[in-house]
Amino acid sequence: MIDPRMSIIKERLTKTGRVIAISSGKGGVGKSMVASALALGLVRRGFRVGLFDVDFTGPSTHIILGVARDVQPVEDRGLVPAEVEGLRYMSLVYFIGDRPAPLRGGEVSNALIELLSVTQWGPLDFLIVDMPPGIGDAVLDLVRLVKKIEFLIITTPSLLAFEVVKKQTVLLGELGIPIIGVVENMKQDNRSHVIESQTEKLGLRYLCGVAFDPKVESVIGHPARLLDTALGEIIEKLERFLAAKKGNADGLQGSDF
Ligand SMILES: Nc1ncnc2c1ncn2[C@@H]1O[C@H](COP(=O)(O)OP(=O)(O)OP(=O)(O)O)[C@@H](O)[C@H]1O
Ligand SMILES: [Mg+2]
């Protein structure tokens, strides 16, 4: 049976510009931090940005951005995302709250479909999606629902994290999903090029390294200071990879890269 919400989702996303999933096979590598920093950095450059947290077990961007409890999406022929730090913010947390019981597979898909079909993003240049860890259902669902999605993969310098990147690359490759490249987060040794060479061996673009910065923990909940940490460099380091305005329905109004 065809879900009528599918065509609504397509319609909802016609003006959302580039949709970039921040993803990793591994947990705890900094996806949510990078997603938040990237979104805030793009806002600072004058772009219209949405941030969508689809981590159904451990949503955390609302904590990173210090979103107050009373800041909620507003109902108006759908759900209009709240404005947080100049970006349009939506999270599965509004659906699942703080309940500890994880959603099951079908429920996750359903929540995702529901949220994608009701959210009124309005015109955006970038929609940044903070993914849950792993290469399971959420990745498959999102790829099925959002045709123009592209992936930005986060790893740490650990080969254990990179091992899962390899699996994810194969999966996305089989599905024909574009991968922008790999960001090596929490780098402690600037001279190490291990992940860089492994990434290139995989045929992927090594985008940049981001240093491990002990200040990061202390800016959680203080978004105005997030870009003052090593994560603030990410926007400059990624700008040439984000410059291509693929899929941008509405043209850029912000300062072009
Ligand atoms: N560049 C960095 N320097 C220092 N600490 C960092 C850096 N990036 C992320 N962290 C820290 O690493 C931890 C994990 O970050 P984050 O929650 O963003 O990872 P994640 O990949 O989204 O995790 P999950 O898989 O649970 O969603 C956090 O405590 C965060 O403060
Ligand atoms: Mg996360």
Side-chain angles (χ1 to χ4, degrees):
M1 196 179 70
I2 295 173
D3 190 327
R5 293 177 297 185
M6 296 306 206
S7 57
I8 299 173
I9 290 175
K10 198 168 168 216
E11 176 65 31
R12 292 275 193 230
L13 296 175
T14 50
K15 289 192 175 160
T16 46
R18 289 182 74 172
V19 182
I20 302 178
I22 312 299
S23 175
S24 177
K26 207 64 173 167
V29 296
K31 294 179 290 298
S32 302
M33 281 291 178
V34 168
S36 304
L38 188 58
L40 291 171
L42 286 164
V43 168
R44 196 177 275 186
R45 298 222 167 194
F47 290 102
R48 298 164 301 175
V49 183
L51 179 60
F52 188 19
D53 192 330
V54 301
D55 188 343
F56 44 89
T57 49
S60 43
T61 51
H62 62 294
I63 303 171
I64 297 170
L65 298 177
V67 180
R69 275 189 179 268
D70 59 349
V71 175
Q72 301 265 343
V74 179
E75 279 199 44
D76 178 15
R77 283 163 292 158
L79 276 186
V80 180
E83 182 149 331
V84 175
E85 299 293 317
L87 52 83
R88 293 183 206 153
Y89 183 71
M90 183 57 90
S91 170
L92 271 183
V93 83
Y94 291 123
F95 277 51
I96 58 178
D98 291 330
R99 73 176 194 177
L103 298 179
R104 291 173 189 279
E107 293 171 312
V108 172
S109 294
N110 208 28
L112 201 57
I113 294 174
E114 190 67 29
L115 210 45
L116 279 168
S117 53
V118 297
T119 305
Q120 298 263 29
W121 290 105
L124 295 177
D125 300 310
F126 293 94
L127 177 58
I128 307 295
V129 186
D130 183 22
M131 299 290 287
I135 48 179
D137 286 351
V139 169
L140 297 175
D141 277 337
L142 220 65
V143 159
R144 181 169 59 92
L145 297 167
V146 184
K147 298 290 176 224
K148 60 182 171 182
I149 201 158
E150 306 165 73
F151 277 68
L152 196 141
I153 296 180
I154 313 296
T155 183
T156 65
S158 167
L159 287 175
L160 294 178
F162 196 75
E163 246 340 279
V164 204
V165 168
K166 289 186 192 165
K167 288 209 183 95
Q168 186 171 19
T169 304
V170 173
L171 176 76
L172 293 173
E174 281 172 5
L175 296 167
I177 307 301
I179 300 176
I180 301 170
V182 174
V183 170
E184 182 184 6
N185 188 30
M186 299 197 244
K187 225 176 150 181
Q188 307 229 36
D189 174 6
N190 246 336
R191 290 157 305 174
S192 169
H193 297 288
V194 175
I195 297 296
E196 187 168 353
S197 61
Q198 292 273 336
T199 301
E200 278 158 11
K201 245 193 231 161
L202 268 186
L204 290 181
R205 201 154 39 182
Y206 179 87
L207 301 174
C208 67
V210 176
F212 179 90
D213 181 349
K215 283 202 301 289
V216 166
E217 195 59 33
S218 67
V219 300
I220 291 175
H222 305 282
R225 283 163 37 208
L226 182 58
L227 297 182
D228 298 334
T229 71
L231 285 158
E233 295 162 16
I234 200 157
I235 190 74
E236 237 163 57
K237 290 178 172 173
L238 292 186
E239 64 186 10
R240 64 200 166 99
F241 306 110
L242 297 175
K245 294 155 200 158
K246 192 173 73 116
N248 204 327
D250 209 43
L252 294 177
Q253 289 190 346
S255 56
D256 275 19
F257 279 120

